[in-house]
Amino acid sequence: MTHNLVCVRRIFASIIQTKSLGRLQEQRRSFTASSFLAARLFTPKHEWVDIDGKIGTVGISDHAQQSLGDIVYCQLPNAGQELSQSGECGALESVKAASEVYSPVSGKVIEKNSACEDSPGLINTSCYGEGWLFKIELAKPEETKELMSEEKYLEFLATQE
Amino acid sequence: MHDLPARLPGAQRNLLLKHLPEPRMLCTMRSVKLLPGTAFFTGRRSFAAGVSKEAEPLKKLVYISQSNDVFTNLALEDWLYKQGDFKNSRALLLWRNSPCVVVGRHQNPWVEANADFCAEKRIPIARRNSGGGTVYHDLGNLNCTFFTSRDEYDRKANLEMIRTAVWDTYGLDLVVNKRDDIEWRGQKVSGTAAKLGRDVAYHHCTVLVHSDRSMLQKALRTGGVKGGYESKATISVPAKTACLREAEPSARVSDVMNAIGRVFLQNPIEDKHGNTVPSEAGGYQLLNPSDYWFPGLGSTRRDLASWDWVYGKTPNFSFSRTYSLPKAHNAGNNPQEHGIASVTVTLHVTNGMVTETEIKENDSFSQTGGSDLMHISALKGQRFTEHLLDAAVQRTVSAAMNAYPRGSSGNHRAFSPGPRLTQRSLIMESERNHDPMDREYVNSILTCA
């Protein structure tokens, strides 16, 4: 009886292991593929910014979205608002927790994603796509040097676990 | 020392206050930006030893606020959140308030609190910084705030400490449910909320020990009179509540306070991998939340108590109400058309102020004689309340009635201005038709956090 239980447990453990390994590899693949398309940069606090000329699009990472859980309220900075790097610029609420959002770069907000304010669940379902938070005109482009590439961010995440 | 009652005799309290740093010391440290919070409350020693942080055990401290004012306590919590350094320490703040209603950061106080009842009983309405739903506090309710670094934030572990403390003291078997509420026999005794920042996070929760539940029910709008409001604000999930005293008649806030504090100080701390982290129990400290001890606390308190924060921070919303008004003059010759006209008025509210007014003429306002809509459009730019709209509609109707002479028609009673047409005669359909048990409505509130 106990032996059987141990066996079952081992089988399950191995299944879980292979599954998570597969997921990790898949994730890496998708990250490498997408990094050719967009040079998305990350902060250690799990925000990302995708820079196109002087305009950066900001959002939160998949890891942040997952650890927050279902997002039920999204408060974003308004167009015209001046933000400083690492400054508080909004809040996301999920399962009774209000999390502050910080800007990865300094600059002036030119647009917020109202779709997220209307349906905050977009951040969960598409944090790198439709679930972007706001667009910002970079005031200090040199700040991006301090941010991590996707590859570095993934390595950083691995060290956090 | 660990079994400190909530209210201490003067001499003992003074003795404890000696453990707090000199206020001058607070200021010096602030100015050199070496501050923060918890570490220096323990005095010079731990501050000086702060260099070799890796080797030092995690310091645990229990703070007990001496204030019963909700705004002061929320300001104290915010002070510790902003100024405290919880890299190498953890703190539990225990506090309780005189009767008040506290709404979540992204909630609508008009929806959540019974404004008339609160005004009558002088119960303040406060907005906290954390998420979650609305709660009622009084001196029979204990609030616990657990401060940790952002990485060590763990609600389940904190709630488990409360569960253990209540089990140790009263032998009551409480259950932590999926929503992180603590229940006794399926009834909620504790509600949870949290605030997550860059480096620091706090989780706070209520523990109902012997609160006045009839007041709680009256002060909160739990019964579904929420009709008419439309917004993205988070909505509270109503739950049946119970107090510990119902299960254990001897339950007292001070005992629960001691028990939770003791478990907090004694329990080993585990990291993410389940390894025990060395920690040191720092003991209890009474805090006097004043500007003297906590520079800047007074202005934070003022901000938290201001209209701009409590009401002005309400997520944008619209409020509609349908009024049944007596029909007017031009129906005068045809008795068939006498009766009631239905008019729906909608106010759009941004930052607590009316920004747009909209009239849906279900049955045409003009039929009621209210063609002069000045009184309603004049609401723009005013601070929103439900009564504001009722009064404006009443003014519109009264103006119309004064404009027309008493007709020869049969409905002259409906025309007569003055005391007969009081607030009560304006039937509020939005409220009447709103069945709280309506399935769709229940579903919609259950999906919210």
Side-chain angles (χ1 to χ4, degrees), chain B residues 85-192:
Chain B
D85 178 356
F86 297 98
K87 276 195 200 79
N88 207 36
S89 68
R90 285 189 182 187
L92 166 61
L93 173 67
L94 298 169
W95 45 295
R96 53 185 191 153
N97 297 321
S98 324
C100 63
V101 169
V102 188
V103 304
R105 173 66 183 82
H106 303 119
Q107 288 204 294
N108 183 331
W110 291 287
V111 170
E112 303 294 339
N114 186 346
D116 291 342
F117 181 80
C118 291
E120 185 197 328
K121 299 280 177 191
R122 301 202 172 183
I123 297 174
I125 298 173
R127 180 188 296 278
R128 55 172 193 267
N129 260 305
S130 63
T134 301
V135 285
Y136 171 79
H137 290 182
D138 63 12
L139 294 178
N141 171 67
L142 173 67
N143 302 297
C144 311
T145 310
F146 297 88
F147 292 93
T148 57
S149 66
R150 174 71 171 83
D151 298 336
E152 287 167 334
Y153 156 75
D154 185 352
R155 299 204 299 218
K156 289 272 185 231
N158 299 336
L159 295 171
E160 197 52 41
M161 282 191 246
I162 295 176
R163 212 185 71 84
T164 309
V166 173
W167 172 254
D168 288 352
T169 320
Y170 301 119
L172 288 176
D173 200 4
L174 304 180
V175 177
V176 180
N177 74 10
K178 263 195 274 177
R179 292 183 47 80
D180 284 349
D181 292 331
I182 304 180
E183 291 179 346
W184 177 70
R185 295 190 179 165
Q187 291 162 307
K188 186 169 162 181
V189 293
S190 161
T192 271

Side-chain angles (χ1 to χ4, degrees), chain B residues 44-58:
Chain B
R44 268 173 216 284
R45 194 188 59 82
S46 68
F47 169 63
V51 188
S52 56
K53 269 184 180 165
E54 296 305 311
E56 211 181 306
L58 212 62

Side-chain angles (χ1 to χ4, degrees), chain A residues 118-137:
Chain A
D118 292 338
S119 20
L122 273 180
I123 303 166
N124 291 114
T125 52
S126 171
C127 66
Y128 296 125
E130 288 172 67
W132 60 275
L133 301 180
F134 58 91
K135 291 190 177 172
I136 185 167
E137 191 181 331

